[in-house]
Amino acid sequence: MIPFGDPSASYQAHKSQVDQAIKRVLDSGWYVLGTEVDAFEKEFASFHGQDFHAVGVANGTDAIALCLRGLGLSIGDEVITPSHTAVATVAGIEQAGCTPVFADIDPTSRCISPKSIEERVGTNTRAIMPVHIYGQPAEMHKILKVAKTHNLAVVEDCSQAHGAEIDGQKVGTFADISAYSCYPTKNLGGTGDGGVILCRSKEFAGKIKSLRQYGWNEARESIIPGFNSRLDELQAAILRVKLQHLADDNAKRRAIALRYNHAFQDLPITLPALSENELHAMHLYVLEYDRRNELMEYLRSHQIGATLHYPLAVHQHAAYAKRIRGWENLPFTEQFYHRNLTLPMYPELSNDEVERVIRAVKRFCQS
Ligand SMILES: Cc1ncc(COP(=O)(O)O)c(C=O)c1O
């Protein structure tokens, strides 16, 4: 079976460096929040340019909650976000005590629609949380304009878009602060849970560092009510290795996506848009097709791990159904969830495997 993603292939590709990093940590005898986390934070920040600060945390959901808490948001404060995202985005907003509100997506980018955000702004709205879904940058310039008009904070959910760019500027650097997951399947993934927050303000980074560990100050007195959301040294050391290869790995993903897009251009399929001025991180390759269930079954029966991201939009899950403002009016999101299909996408996919996927999709669609 060709899987849709393969974290073990990433380990094998960088094995000697990862093994050395693991040994270094085990030998050090210091396992949580230490020199590896410090170094990862500095390297991740400078990957995004000068004047940035990064804070390692336990996972991407916590990163979202900590961003909102760090901004001082809590009960009753509304955060506008798409329903077309991982459940984690919405779970993180609620974990912070805030109230999510759903906006629709733009059908081309599949990211939150600035127009729909504008329609949802109300008296309790405090923030916008765009998600760069599948590695496709959201329309940050328009989103920042809406935010400025209504005096709202912006927190980017970059969990699927490490290294993506708009006009040469990396996602995560447009908003006040940004949240990343470093779960093993992500473009920058460890071998366990991990997350990171990026911001411009040293003071804000200091607040997040306090919040991630019981609200402690340097004397270990809790000065604000906090969390336990620490990044461990093993994950940080592995993420330092992976960060060195992120740009190359993303380029390999894009090259595979271009091959898919080229091969499928004459089929009755909607392809991911790859625009000239954006660097798509191509976390997932997701097409849209009217007969996607049949195509998924066909591919699986030919040992190709096609799957759905996601089977349900967040407002369609029982835990969230009919209780999040905006849910009744998400036409592009609803339409997308009838047609989405994820094909295998990871940097280590071989030429032969890509060809196998292409041949099988074409055979089905042309039959
Ligand atoms: C868009 C998005 N946001 C947030 C998260 C949360 O990350 P984690 O699983 O590390 O908590 C994920 C990962 O699943 C994600 O894909």
Side-chain angles (χ1 to χ4, degrees):
M1 179 70 96
I2 305 175
F4 77 87
D6 189 356
S8 74
S10 168
Y11 168 55
Q12 292 302 330
H14 311 300
K15 183 173 172 19
S16 63
Q17 276 185 293
V18 171
D19 288 352
Q20 273 175 32
I22 290 172
K23 184 168 181 338
R24 190 170 69 233
V25 173
L26 294 181
D27 287 343
S28 78
W30 189 279
Y31 300 132
V32 177
L33 292 187
T35 53
E36 298 288 343
V37 172
D38 283 346
F40 170 62
E41 291 174 343
K42 287 198 177 71
E43 289 158 12
F44 188 78
S46 61
F47 175 77
H48 290 87
Q50 282 180 338
D51 305 328
F52 287 99
H53 301 273
V55 183
V57 297
N59 57 66
T61 311
D62 281 2
I64 288 168
L66 283 159
C67 284
L68 297 172
R69 285 284 298 275
L71 285 170
L73 271 58
S74 79
I75 294 168
D77 292 335
E78 288 185 350
V79 180
I80 301 178
T81 200
S83 173
H84 173 38
T85 182
V87 163
T89 307
V90 179
I93 293 170
E94 292 200 332
Q95 187 180 317
C98 299
T99 304
V101 172
F102 287 139
D104 205 2
I105 53 169
D106 172 88
T108 306
S109 72
R110 295 123 166 218
C111 293
I112 196 165
S113 146
K115 184 169 169 288
S116 181
I117 296 174
E118 185 88 58
E119 288 165 5
R120 298 297 196 268
V121 174
T123 48
N124 295 324
T125 309
R126 297 287 173 270
I128 304 170
M129 186 172 294
V131 180
H132 306 296
I133 197 80
Y134 310 144
Q136 163 69 51
E139 291 179 80
M140 288 311 302
H141 294 297
K142 288 186 185 167
I143 292 169
L144 291 175
K145 219 166 148 192
V146 177
K148 198 166 172 205
T149 308
H150 299 281
N151 194 24
L152 306 174
V154 179
V155 178
E156 291 173 70
D157 181 348
C158 300
S159 296
Q160 302 192 1
H162 315 72
E165 295 179 5
I166 304 171
D167 292 324
Q169 183 179 346
K170 289 206 166 49
V171 303
T173 66
F174 289 87
D176 309 308
I177 45 173
S178 303
Y180 298 75
S181 165
C182 298
Y183 185 75
T185 55
K186 303 300 189 210
N187 290 37
L188 179 65
T191 60
D193 276 313
V196 58
I197 290 168
L198 186 77
C199 61
R200 282 181 194 271
S201 149
K202 193 173 175 192
E203 198 189 339
F204 189 84
K207 186 171 182 192
I208 298 287
K209 283 185 179 175
S210 170
L211 279 172
R212 78 176 164 189
Q213 186 159 240
Y214 319 127
W216 276 352
N217 64 12
E218 282 182 5
R220 289 196 276 168
E221 178 189 352
S222 292
I223 46 168
I224 36 174
F227 293 68
N228 172 2
S229 186
R230 298 177 290 224
L231 183 62
D232 71 68
E233 290 281 281
L234 275 175
Q235 296 315 320
I238 293 166
L239 290 170
R240 291 180 68 196
V241 173
K242 297 289 188 75
L243 185 60
Q244 292 169 26
H245 301 284
L246 177 61
D248 274 359
D249 284 348
N250 281 355
K252 288 180 189 163
R253 290 172 180 270
R254 274 192 302 277
I256 296 166
L258 283 171
R259 279 178 68 189
Y260 282 157
N261 272 12
H262 181 72
F264 303 151
Q265 62 189 341
D266 296 327
L267 303 178
I269 281 179
T270 309
L271 304 170
L274 290 171
S275 93
E276 295 263 301
N277 69 319
E278 290 166 349
L279 217 50
H280 196 304
M282 204 36 80
H283 172 58
L284 295 169
Y285 183 93
V286 179
L287 53 78
E288 291 158 71
Y289 182 46
D290 289 340
R291 295 166 62 203
R292 71 95 198 265
N293 287 342
E294 291 163 74
L295 175 57
M296 181 164 66
E297 285 317 309
Y298 179 83
L299 293 174
R300 288 181 178 177
S301 71
H302 288 78
Q303 305 304 307
I304 293 168
T307 188
L308 302 183
H309 290 89
Y310 297 90
L312 298 171
V314 182
H315 73 283
Q316 295 167 339
H317 285 260
Y320 301 98
K322 300 187 182 173
R323 73 170 176 83
I324 308 247
R325 186 162 78 76
W327 71 271
E328 319 91 318
N329 189 12
L330 303 170
F332 290 117
T333 304
E334 300 277 352
Q335 189 183 321
F336 180 79
Y337 273 77
H338 292 294
R339 302 181 75 233
N340 57 316
L341 183 66
T342 306
L343 298 187
M345 168 56 68
Y346 49 94
E348 298 79 16
L349 266 178
S350 70
N351 280 336
D352 286 353
E353 288 168 327
V354 174
E355 273 313 307
R356 254 183 69 198
V357 176
I358 288 173
R359 274 201 306 274
V361 171
K362 284 175 107 172
R363 217 182 303 125
F364 180 86
C365 295
Q366 288 168 342
S367 66

